[in-house]
Amino acid sequence: QVQLVESGGTLVPPGGSLRLSCVASTRVFSIYTMDWYRQAPGKQRELVATITSYGSTNYADSVKGRFTISRDNAKNMVYLQMNSLKPEDTAVYYCYAPSFPTSWGQGTQVTVSS
C-alpha cells in the first residue's frame, strides 16, 4: 500500500499561479504512474493530469497549456504547476497512484476567486 499527502492548495485570484505537491510513502515510487484528480462541489471527480514512470504526460483538455505535471523520484514527490487559473479550476485536488486503488489522500483545496 502507499500513502499520499497533498499540499499547496490555497485561495488565489483568477489568472494566478499555484503549485501543488504530493509526497508518496513508498520505496519504489519511480516505477509508478501518478495522477492528479480534482473534484468540484456537486461534480464527479475528474482526471486532470497523468505522468508515467518514464515521464510521459497527459492532460485533460480543460487544463492543457495551463497545467504541468512533474515528478522528482529522488524525493518521492509529484507536482502540479497551475498557471492562468480560472474560477472553474476551484476544487479539491488529489494525487493518486493507479497501481494502488485505495491510495486516495485527503486532498488539498484550491479556490480561484477575486
mmCIF file of all heavy atoms in Angstrom, residues 2 11 18 21 33 44 62 71 82 104 107:
data_model
loop_
_atom_site.group_PDB
_atom_site.id
_atom_site.type_symbol
_atom_site.label_atom_id
_atom_site.label_comp_id
_atom_site.label_asym_id
_atom_site.label_seq_id
_atom_site.Cartn_x
_atom_site.Cartn_y
_atom_site.Cartn_z
ATOM 1 N N VAL A 2 0.303 2.376 -0.414
ATOM 2 C CA VAL A 2 1.037 3.628 -0.442
ATOM 3 C C VAL A 2 0.162 4.712 0.158
ATOM 4 O O VAL A 2 -1.053 4.729 -0.036
ATOM 5 C CB VAL A 2 1.452 3.992 -1.881
ATOM 6 C CG1 VAL A 2 0.248 4.175 -2.781
ATOM 7 C CG2 VAL A 2 2.331 5.237 -1.891
ATOM 8 N N LEU A 11 -6.276 29.978 -1.524
ATOM 9 C CA LEU A 11 -7.084 30.911 -2.290
ATOM 10 C C LEU A 11 -6.158 31.705 -3.213
ATOM 11 O O LEU A 11 -5.131 32.245 -2.766
ATOM 12 C CB LEU A 11 -7.821 31.855 -1.345
ATOM 13 C CG LEU A 11 -8.581 33.024 -1.971
ATOM 14 C CD1 LEU A 11 -9.731 32.520 -2.831
ATOM 15 C CD2 LEU A 11 -9.087 33.955 -0.873
ATOM 16 N N LEU A 18 -0.231 28.536 -9.027
ATOM 17 C CA LEU A 18 -0.115 27.772 -7.790
ATOM 18 C C LEU A 18 0.593 26.465 -8.113
ATOM 19 O O LEU A 18 0.402 25.912 -9.215
ATOM 20 C CB LEU A 18 -1.512 27.487 -7.241
ATOM 21 C CG LEU A 18 -1.680 27.121 -5.776
ATOM 22 C CD1 LEU A 18 -1.148 28.221 -4.876
ATOM 23 C CD2 LEU A 18 -3.168 26.877 -5.495
ATOM 24 N N SER A 21 1.795 19.977 -4.366
ATOM 25 C CA SER A 21 2.791 18.930 -4.132
ATOM 26 C C SER A 21 2.123 17.704 -3.541
ATOM 27 O O SER A 21 1.100 17.811 -2.853
ATOM 28 C CB SER A 21 3.873 19.423 -3.162
ATOM 29 O OG SER A 21 4.533 20.562 -3.657
ATOM 30 N N THR A 33 3.023 5.058 -12.270
ATOM 31 C CA THR A 33 2.305 6.178 -12.859
ATOM 32 C C THR A 33 1.578 6.936 -11.743
ATOM 33 O O THR A 33 1.062 6.327 -10.811
ATOM 34 C CB THR A 33 1.286 5.676 -13.888
ATOM 35 O OG1 THR A 33 1.994 5.174 -15.024
ATOM 36 C CG2 THR A 33 0.346 6.776 -14.339
ATOM 37 N N GLN A 44 -18.535 15.217 -10.277
ATOM 38 C CA GLN A 44 -17.759 13.991 -10.137
ATOM 39 C C GLN A 44 -16.264 14.305 -10.149
ATOM 40 O O GLN A 44 -15.828 15.304 -10.724
ATOM 41 C CB GLN A 44 -18.096 13.025 -11.281
ATOM 42 C CG GLN A 44 -19.477 12.403 -11.177
ATOM 43 C CD GLN A 44 -19.683 11.296 -12.193
ATOM 44 O OE1 GLN A 44 -19.103 11.328 -13.279
ATOM 45 N NE2 GLN A 44 -20.492 10.306 -11.838
ATOM 46 N N SER A 62 -9.351 20.578 -20.565
ATOM 47 C CA SER A 62 -9.665 21.819 -19.846
ATOM 48 C C SER A 62 -8.441 22.479 -19.221
ATOM 49 O O SER A 62 -8.500 23.666 -18.859
ATOM 50 C CB SER A 62 -10.710 21.546 -18.765
ATOM 51 O OG SER A 62 -10.235 20.565 -17.855
ATOM 52 N N ARG A 71 7.541 15.192 -11.706
ATOM 53 C CA ARG A 71 7.858 14.324 -10.575
ATOM 54 C C ARG A 71 9.335 14.425 -10.243
ATOM 55 O O ARG A 71 10.161 14.702 -11.125
ATOM 56 C CB ARG A 71 7.454 12.887 -10.863
ATOM 57 C CG ARG A 71 8.211 12.217 -11.984
ATOM 58 C CD ARG A 71 7.545 10.899 -12.409
ATOM 59 N NE ARG A 71 7.469 9.943 -11.307
ATOM 60 C CZ ARG A 71 6.635 8.906 -11.281
ATOM 61 N NH1 ARG A 71 5.799 8.692 -12.276
ATOM 62 N NH2 ARG A 71 6.632 8.095 -10.237
ATOM 63 N N MET A 82 0.109 25.002 -11.758
ATOM 64 C CA MET A 82 -1.123 25.502 -12.345
ATOM 65 C C MET A 82 -0.983 26.992 -12.625
ATOM 66 O O MET A 82 -0.743 27.779 -11.698
ATOM 67 C CB MET A 82 -2.301 25.249 -11.396
ATOM 68 C CG MET A 82 -2.438 23.796 -10.987
ATOM 69 S SD MET A 82 -3.907 23.476 -9.998
ATOM 70 C CE MET A 82 -3.514 24.409 -8.523
ATOM 71 N N TRP A 104 -6.222 7.029 -2.211
ATOM 72 C CA TRP A 104 -6.674 8.431 -2.148
ATOM 73 C C TRP A 104 -6.247 9.078 -0.844
ATOM 74 O O TRP A 104 -6.433 8.517 0.229
ATOM 75 C CB TRP A 104 -8.197 8.494 -2.276
ATOM 76 C CG TRP A 104 -8.716 8.012 -3.581
ATOM 77 C CD1 TRP A 104 -9.324 6.819 -3.832
ATOM 78 C CD2 TRP A 104 -8.646 8.696 -4.838
ATOM 79 N NE1 TRP A 104 -9.647 6.725 -5.165
ATOM 80 C CE2 TRP A 104 -9.250 7.862 -5.795
ATOM 81 C CE3 TRP A 104 -8.146 9.937 -5.243
ATOM 82 C CZ2 TRP A 104 -9.357 8.228 -7.144
ATOM 83 C CZ3 TRP A 104 -8.256 10.301 -6.571
ATOM 84 C CH2 TRP A 104 -8.854 9.451 -7.502
ATOM 85 N N GLY A 107 -6.567 15.230 0.025
ATOM 86 C CA GLY A 107 -6.746 16.292 -0.959
ATOM 87 C C GLY A 107 -6.327 17.642 -0.418
ATOM 88 O O GLY A 107 -6.080 17.813 0.783
#
